[in-house]
Every structure is written in C-alpha cells, then in structure tokens.
Amino acid sequence: MAASMSWRRIVQSVYSPAIAGIFNRLSDHLLRARDRGGGSSVLLLAPLLAETDPAPQRVFRPAGSVEAQSADGLFAHFQWIADHSPAFRVPGSHIHILSSPDQFYQAIKARIKTAKRRVVLASLYLGTGHLEQQLVDCMMEALQRSQEDGRIPNLRVSILLDFTRGSRGRVNSRTMLLPLLQRFTSQMRVSLYHTPDLRGLLRLLVPQRFNETIGLQHIKVYLFDNSIIISGANLSDSYFTNRQDRYVLLEDCVELADFFTDLVEAVGDISLQLQPDDSVTLQEGSVHPYKGDRQEFSAMARRRIAEVMDAALVRQQLLSQSDDAEEEGMSEEEEDTWVFPLVQMKPLGIQVDEQVTQRLLMDAGPDSTVFLTSGYFNLTQAYMRLLLGSGAGYRILTASPEVNGFFGAKGIAGAIPAAYIQIAKQFYSQVCQLGQQERVHLHEYHRARWTFHAKGLWYYLQGQDRPCLTLIGSPNFGYRSVHRDLEAQIAIVTKNKELRNQLQEEQEMLYQRSTEVSSSTFEQPDRHVQLWVKLLTPLIKNFF
C-alpha cells in the first residue's frame, strides 16, 4: 500500500492554476491592447497569419514502462497528474463506456426521471426538436414529482449553456427552457455563459453563427444525483441519433459529482441568468462579461473557478486523513481507478487540460502507443511538435469529408470540410517529410448518413493490448479548445480489467470504420481543394 500512500500525499499538494497564459495570436494581443487603451474590439477581425505556440520544454525521463505493468507502478507512472488536478478514486466497476448516440440519449432520459436531488446539465446548446422536447418534458415531470413528494421540493435543476449559441434564432435553447423557468422558478437555474472576448463593435458587427467563433461555453457534463456522463456530445437530435461521439457514465461517485456540480455552478455564477420573461440578468456582485472591464471579469472568474479546485483539494485532504486509518481494509476494487478532471479556460487564465495533455504527449516514449481522435483535426502547433517529436506510435482518427459536421452546409461554412482536407494534407506531408510514416498513421472515419464528433485518446504502455489511460470530454486538441473556449474532460487511469476491455472495444469500434490515409488519398477527385480555400485556411483555422 506504500504507493497508494504516496499517491494520496501528492493529491494533498496545493493546486495553483495558471493565472496567465501566453497569448500567442495577434487577435489576443490586440484584444488586450484594446482593453488597456479603450480601442475598438473590431481589431479582433485582423487576420491571424501564424500560430506561435511556445515549444514545451522537453525534460528527459526514463520510459518506466516495465515497472508500470504493476498496479502500483501504473499509478506511480501517472501520479504527476495530481500536481495539476484533484484526483478522485472511483471503482472501475462504476464506470461504463456508452457506445451509441441512442444509448447516450436514453441514459440521460432515464436518469432525469429518477433524479431525487439534482440535475446538472452543461452543454453548448439545447436543440429545438421533438427529442429535445422529450428531455424538457422529463425535467418537467421530475420537478412536478418532487413538489408532490414533500412539502419542500428537494430536486434542483441547473443548466449551463452558451449565450450566443443558445440564443440563435427565434426558437432556440432559451425558448425551450422558458416553460420550466416559469413554472418552477425556485427550483430552476439557467445560466448563459458569454465570452468576454465578444464585446464592443465586434459584438455589434459580427452576425449570429459567426459570433460563435470568438469563444464559447463548450463543456459537456450531464449529472444526475451522484452519477455523471462526460462526453463531447451536445443536447441536440443529431447527437441522439446519427452523430458519433464518445460517452462515459460514472455511477455512484459522490465526490466527483460534487466537484462537477460546483464547477458548473461556478461558471454559472459568472454567466448571465435567464429569467422567466426571456430577459437575462447578472449575478449580484459579478462583472458583466461584455460591458464590464475585460481584465476585471477574467480575474473574478478565475478566482471563482479556483475556489472550486481548492475546495476539492481540501475535501480530499479531510477524506484522506480518515481513509488512511481504514486503508488496510479497502478492497482492491476501491483502489483500481483514478479520475482527474482537466479544466481548460484560457480566456480566464486556466489551462490545466493543456498542461496535462502536453505532458502526456511529451512523456509518450518509444514503447508507448497513443490512439488519438478528433472530429475536427486541427492540432495546435505545440501539440503537433510534441507528437512529431516523440517516439511513441500514433494512430490518429479524424472525420472524412462526408462525415464532417459542416459537410453540405450553406455559404462559407460549406468550405470548412475542404479546409480540414488541406490541414490533414499538410500534416500528412510533414509526417512524410520527417520519414515517420511507420510511427504516425492518419485514419479517416467513414459511415453513410452519419457525422463524426468523437474526441479524446487511448494510451497504451509497453506490451499492453488494453489502454490504461483515456482522455474523454469536450476538447478537440485544436486552437479553439486551448485558447478560446471553456472546456473540460477527464483523465481516467485504471487497472480494472473490465474497464480496460470496454475502452479497447470502444477504440476498435471507432477505428474499424476507418481507412488509413496515404498520399493517394489526397489525389482523389473529391479531395480537390480550391485555391481560395488553400489561401484562406491559414488565416481562419484558429476559429473552427
């Protein structure tokens, strides 16, 4: 149990989220210059010519893969993650990988219906179709039942969405939720996060849909009492039917559920509050996200999020003190899996996910294998340098043009799949130039009448045929995920055989529908990229 003891001591270390990221794009520099000098936010429209992510410093570390084969060695191998994030022990038998949009949808509906104390939903938006209406009806029934069951209703529903995406169109996420707010005002909270980077003339000039490129609330957390679904999927009909994503259900994990409840509530506190008459108000004592001072808003928001992280560590310190006395009596199952929440909110100065992802890519040695997927393959320069500079084997899965979410879209958005073709071609060319085709493989997902939205990675140590770590959640490994949006995912480190089998089956299910990219792929007629798209892609790729 010595390894477990040292693991707890690391968990008790003080968490200090980064409070000042290096803003590497011209737009970010102009934004802050505008706040200091009172200039117009229309400067954000200046073209973004090149990405200048600083190269992470490489530190030599022995591979350590052999010793990591044992349980204690496995946790020791990844215990550094606790330097960045709270760590939660969750029995592997409580974690279930969902494989399909319908499973995801049915799991949400079933758990809303049986929730007794809390329902917490964080998503980019809520759709407006009949499937989404069924979710609203489930919440209506659950809230009504809670009123009938006792004199003081116990159930509380808190929903966090993005302001711009949730307000798009005449019928939108807000209008879908108004009946709940009007009927159950004291039990409902709907928070609409508005990025502080969309303000001034920029906010007036940029039309709907395009204003969403500046920054979004992109976290996807669906929580019911003490059970949680972490995913990259939104609450919209395609994500319930034919848009493939990833989903993990963690059941009966009260500490982790408390953490994500606190996190969503903290983001809600810095967001605009939807009222029963469809107006929005500001939480008392808050700084307005686009009318108030940009730096004051970020400082306030950063403090509020840090409170959640610090409170989680304090709780863990108290629990670990009581657990130490009982540790010898713990079953092997209770010790077999750790979950680390990874939060990324760089507009607010928080970059935990970026730090952990960079370290994972940096430490991946020649004996490791990484399967990485993103529906929108558009790696930051920092991630690309680490991937191409490591010794690990990589298999990268991305969307083929016909399953890209923008395929067939009207207007300039219809050219986005071609832009992703250009980005993939440039990446593959770089792999070939470096002679790394045997180590780095690029795959494309194909499925008729479906779209592809899965993201995350599966991490294998030397000689292992099942992943021991996975990242799953909302980030796409691109510039927007790192620099513009609010993101969250979890790292799961496990020795549980059944859970590792589930992760392997998930990975195989996704990759078996793919074909490997070769130089001939980009010679096919449907991969032709028009000249104007080639010229425009470097200027706009950091917005999608």
Side-chain angles (χ1 to χ4, degrees), residues 21-84:
I22 299 174
F23 291 91
N24 304 306
R25 303 297 293 163
L26 178 60
S27 63
D28 299 309
H29 171 74
L30 291 172
L31 176 62
R32 282 145 188 82
R34 179 208 66 220
D35 282 337
R36 290 192 299 270
S40 168
S41 59
V42 75
L43 292 174
L44 267 178
L45 295 175
L48 307 182
L49 296 176
E51 195 172 346
T52 57
D53 284 339
Q57 183 177 358
R58 179 170 292 279
V59 179
F60 174 76
R61 296 182 179 88
S65 299
V66 175
E67 69 177 27
Q69 302 303 309
S70 68
D72 288 345
L74 173 65
F75 293 135
H77 190 82
F78 294 109
Q79 66 184 18
W80 58 266
I81 304 177
D83 294 339
H84 302 274

Side-chain angles (χ1 to χ4, degrees), residues 65 82 91 147 183 235 244 248 263-264 279 291 381 498 520 528 535:
S65 299
Q147 289 189 343
R183 184 171 175 183
L235 296 176
Q244 183 65 56
V248 59
L263 179 66
V264 172
S279 64
K291 294 180 180 178
Q381 288 296 325
E498 176 56 31
S520 62
H528 173 71
L535 295 175

Side-chain angles (χ1 to χ4, degrees), residues 393-452:
Y394 277 89
R395 290 197 174 269
I396 301 168
L397 177 62
T398 187
S400 60
E402 68 273 11
V403 300
N404 186 290
F406 291 95
F407 185 75
K410 297 179 180 179
I412 193 171
I416 291 178
Y420 280 111
I421 293 174
Q422 180 67 11
I423 292 169
K425 181 179 181 180
Q426 291 173 339
F427 174 79
Y428 184 77
S429 296
Q430 193 169 358
V431 169
C432 294
Q433 290 169 9
L434 295 172
Q436 297 192 17
Q437 303 95 309
E438 297 302 313
R439 186 180 68 83
V440 181
H441 302 263
L442 186 61
H443 298 252
E444 290 185 341
Y445 184 90
H446 303 271
R447 194 170 185 180
R449 294 180 294 281
W450 280 61
T451 56
F452 184 70

Side-chain angles (χ1 to χ4, degrees), residues 134-341:
Q134 288 183 35
L135 289 183
V136 174
D137 293 342
C138 287
M139 287 186 273
M140 184 81 74
E141 293 169 9
L143 287 164
Q144 180 62 42
R145 186 177 61 252
S146 74
Q147 289 189 343
E148 296 170 351
D149 288 346
R151 294 175 59 186
I152 302 177
N154 292 321
L155 181 63
R156 297 291 184 271
V157 176
S158 180
I159 300 175
L160 171 65
L161 305 173
D162 182 73
F163 180 92
T164 54
R165 182 64 182 87
S167 303
R168 186 204 292 179
R170 185 178 60 84
V171 179
N172 52 42
S173 304
R174 293 164 62 165
T175 59
M176 290 286 290
L177 295 170
L178 285 178
L180 289 175
L181 267 175
Q182 292 162 355
R183 184 171 175 183
F184 304 100
T185 305
S186 64
Q187 294 174 259
M188 279 289 302
R189 183 189 195 191
V190 179
S191 304
L192 302 169
Y193 174 82
H194 192 295
T195 175
D197 293 334
L198 181 63
R199 54 175 52 225
L201 285 176
L202 184 67
R203 191 172 189 275
L204 293 174
L205 294 174
V206 180
Q208 285 190 359
R209 295 195 68 181
F210 292 97
N211 59 11
E212 297 164 25
T213 64
I214 305 303
L216 294 167
Q217 191 305 109
H218 201 243
I219 297 169
K220 321 296 173 59
V221 172
Y222 309 111
L223 189 151
F224 322 92
D225 290 338
N226 295 329
S227 296
I228 317 168
I229 296 175
I230 302 292
S231 180
N234 291 303
L235 296 176
S236 183
D237 55 359
S238 63
Y239 294 91
F240 305 149
T241 53
N242 63 346
R243 187 159 173 75
Q244 183 65 56
D245 214 301
R246 298 181 67 208
Y247 335 83
V248 59
L249 169 63
L250 303 98
E251 295 190 292
D252 192 22
C253 48
V254 60
E255 294 172 50
L256 189 63
D258 286 346
F259 173 84
F260 274 108
T261 296
D262 292 345
L263 179 66
V264 172
E265 291 300 298
V267 178
D269 288 346
I270 65 172
S271 301
L272 299 169
Q273 306 300 306
L274 184 64
Q275 301 301 310
D277 62 356
D278 199 24
S279 64
V280 293
T281 60
L282 193 64
Q283 190 92 343
E284 185 175 355
S286 294
V287 179
H288 201 284
Y290 63 87
K291 294 180 180 178
D293 181 83
R294 170 66 170 81
Q295 294 181 352
E296 286 184 13
F297 175 84
S298 292
M300 173 207 68
R302 187 163 54 246
R303 286 193 301 270
R304 184 67 185 88
I305 303 302
E307 288 174 3
V308 175
M309 312 296 281
D310 293 340
L313 288 170
V314 169
R315 285 197 298 267
Q316 289 181 337
Q317 289 172 355
L318 295 174
L319 287 169
S320 67
Q321 291 171 6
S322 61
D323 286 349
D324 285 344
E326 304 173 2
E327 189 164 319
E328 294 299 331
M330 286 187 179
S331 67
E332 182 178 353
E333 180 188 50
E334 292 176 305
E335 292 279 334
D336 68 6
T337 304
W338 289 85
V339 177
F340 303 87

